[in-house]
Amino acid sequence: MKVEAITLREIQIPLVHFFETSFGRVSNRRIILVTAHCDGVIGWGECVADDGPFYSSEWSETAWATTRQYLAPAILGRQMASASDCVPLMARIRGHRMAKAAVENALWDAEAKQKQIPLWKLLGGTLREIPCGVSIGIQDSIEQLLDKIEIELAVGYQRIKIKVKPGWDLSVLEKIRARWPRITLSCDANSAYTLNDIDHLRKFDQFNLLMIEQPLWDDDIYFHAELQRQLKTAICLDESIHHARDAEEAIETGACRIINIKVGRVGGFSEAIEVHDVCASKNIPVWCGGMLESGIGRSHNIALSTLANFKLPGDVSASKRYWKEDVIDPEIEVTPRGTIQISDEPGTGYTVREDLIEKLTVRKEVFGLGTK
Ligand code: OSB
Ligand code: MG
């Protein structure tokens, strides 16, 4: 396929409910979307970068600038046998993985549509139904959090993950466990602790958690190994894993027993599959993380979650938990078993609502062969 044009677009959408982590609260999402126009087919990709450099150093503006100045020119007009051929074309550009992922995933989407096969099959997936969990942010009160957990359990979600930080951790977990001693529960610190907190972190062991996600620094692997040696609870790494070599290093040093794969964080589907395969070969289960994506990114997360080593429930949940109206049709729905059923339709199985996206667009730029 040949990339004839790339469209960059920024949409803004309010979340149904604010989402708070140890690094801050968001109420509105500002999302960069990429469309790749290839041989008459349009593929969509979503950049998961946030509206500020808080989860990672990448954010909306760096993604926009890097795509317009480096990524789009690197692939425009290029003939590719498959979407993954864009990886070497963009390799000279260091980092900027979320920006790259949006471009690469748009090409995978286009390729699946062109070949008239489901994206999940093109990625090498096999699972036909994927287990779903929810990530519940820090709330204004513990009572509010307990109410939210009750609602999500009633819907059928298979795993509850709460966000923790110093001051919103042990007492919260204690209340949850007092009410639900047996649910599958995990927590995500988004790097809120240091090794000075080791005695404090050991107290998390009493709650029988499925995992504690990213307790220490976002750029660290080595000291997570030190911490994992002192914890019974499995550590799961999110922020620290940027590519398959990071995954290998984390597994070999014993820094974690579980890995969260976010396709944006690792730079696109090709690298996500590599991370998945490394983990599979070393018997480390993975699950698919979320970044408060619109339906476009979410549908890509669903496709990725069909790979065989996605053994744990992911942060892949229903559209209505995030948006009054999602940008895809049908919206993503979860069965009473807490699963998402995988469609046999070509592409993602969800249609992008271009009319709605047009209404939500606050900025748009088209790069064609003439503008190269
Ligand atoms: O660490 O997994 C995270 C959201 C934004 C940034 C980081 C994270 C998250 C989530 C939400 O946990 C997952 C989702 O429901 O999309
Ligand atoms: Mg996380």
Side-chain angles (χ1 to χ4, degrees):
M1 56 186 182
K2 185 172 159 189
V3 186
E4 284 140 4
I6 297 273
T7 305
L8 256 184
R9 200 187 302 257
E10 177 184 332
I11 59 168
Q12 290 188 4
I13 357 179
L15 286 164
V16 166
H17 188 265
F18 67 80
F19 191 82
E20 186 171 325
T21 62
S22 61
F23 56 82
R25 181 181 282 199
V26 283
S27 301
N28 293 288
R29 292 268 4 253
R30 182 180 170 201
I31 298 175
I32 308 242
L33 297 173
V34 172
T35 27
H37 304 250
C38 312
D39 313 323
V41 170
I42 294 179
W44 287 85
E46 173 168 343
C47 179
V48 301
D50 208 344
D51 194 11
F54 310 122
Y55 166 81
S56 71
S57 59
E58 266 194 283
W59 63 295
S60 320
E61 292 295 339
T62 66
W64 187 283
T66 305
T67 308
R68 98 188 281 285
Q69 200 163 334
Y70 296 105
L71 303 178
I75 61 162
L76 269 172
R78 304 300 289 253
Q79 191 68 47
M80 298 179 213
S82 66
S84 58
D85 286 354
C86 75
V87 175
L89 297 175
M90 299 192 292
R92 191 165 77 92
I93 298 125
R94 286 207 175 138
H96 300 283
R97 293 174 189 279
M98 294 175 177
K100 286 181 181 173
V103 170
E104 186 189 332
N105 296 353
L107 296 177
W108 281 88
D109 190 42
E111 183 180 346
K113 281 180 186 151
Q114 220 165 55
K115 295 185 169 158
Q116 285 290 300
I117 57 169
L119 177 62
W120 62 268
K121 271 194 186 162
L122 189 63
L123 293 170
T126 50
L127 309 177
R128 303 309 318 279
E129 187 169 3
I130 59 166
C132 304
V134 286
S135 172
I136 306 181
I138 294 165
Q139 305 297 317
D140 289 331
S141 69
I142 295 187
E143 291 65 40
Q144 276 174 13
L145 177 68
L146 297 177
D147 287 349
K148 285 209 171 307
I149 294 175
E150 183 163 33
I151 290 168
E152 305 298 9
L153 289 171
V155 174
Y157 284 104
Q158 297 187 15
R159 178 274 277 148
I160 301 290
K161 154 175 148 185
I162 65 155
K163 294 289 187 178
V164 290
K165 65 175 183 182
W168 181 271
D169 50 12
L170 297 174
S171 57
V172 176
L173 290 166
E174 203 171 291
K175 289 233 169 56
I176 298 172
R177 272 300 182 224
R179 183 137 158 214
W180 297 286
R182 305 168 78 91
I183 58 166
T184 306
L185 180 65
S186 60
C187 70
D188 186 357
N190 290 108
S191 306
Y193 301 94
T194 73
L195 274 188
N196 292 332
D197 299 312
I198 212 154
D199 291 334
H200 180 73
L201 290 167
R202 280 162 67 171
K203 296 185 185 146
F204 284 53
D205 279 344
Q206 66 189 290
F207 299 113
N208 185 27
L209 301 175
L210 179 62
M211 69 189 84
I212 173 167
E213 190 179 339
Q214 199 70 34
L216 306 177
W217 309 274
D218 68 294
D219 59 353
D220 172 77
I221 291 177
Y222 182 86
F223 291 108
H224 278 93
E226 167 87 36
L227 177 62
Q228 181 68 93
R229 281 193 288 277
Q230 302 208 37
L231 291 185
K232 282 200 213 101
T233 309
I235 291 178
C236 168
L237 289 180
D238 172 352
E239 283 89 329
S240 300
I241 307 296
H242 307 98
H243 42 63
R245 278 182 298 102
D246 277 343
E248 269 187 81
E249 184 183 334
I251 296 165
E252 277 173 24
T253 55
C256 63
R257 296 190 201 129
I258 298 170
I259 285 179
N260 162 338
I261 300 183
K262 287 179 181 164
V263 61
R265 196 194 63 227
V266 303
F269 280 133
S270 300
E271 194 64 28
I273 295 168
E274 295 279 328
V275 175
H276 166 273
D277 292 352
V278 162
C279 294
S281 74
K282 299 189 185 277
N283 275 318
I284 294 290
V286 303
W287 55 279
C288 186
M291 290 289 286
L292 310 175
E293 292 92 342
S294 81
I296 295 173
R298 208 157 279 287
S299 68
H300 289 181
N301 291 345
I302 291 170
L304 183 67
S305 302
T306 64
L307 272 70
N309 193 37
F310 279 85
K311 295 225 164 89
L312 297 169
D315 283 344
V316 256
S317 46
S319 297
K320 63 170 181 247
R321 293 193 61 245
Y322 306 87
W323 319 111
K324 215 167 122 218
E325 205 178 4
D326 204 343
V327 300
I328 52 165
D329 183 44
E331 299 211 333
I332 291 156
E333 289 195 44
V334 167
T335 69
R337 296 183 296 283
T339 63
I340 291 174
Q341 280 175 313
I342 307 301
S343 151
D344 270 324
E345 298 283 315
T348 61
Y350 300 90
T351 306
V352 173
R353 293 178 58 189
E354 297 191 31
D355 52 337
L356 177 58
I357 287 181
E358 207 56 55
K359 276 193 222 149
L360 299 170
T361 298
V362 296
R363 132 165 104 140
K364 181 175 166 180
E365 211 170 333
V366 184
F367 309 99
L369 290 174
T371 60
K372 205 182 152 189

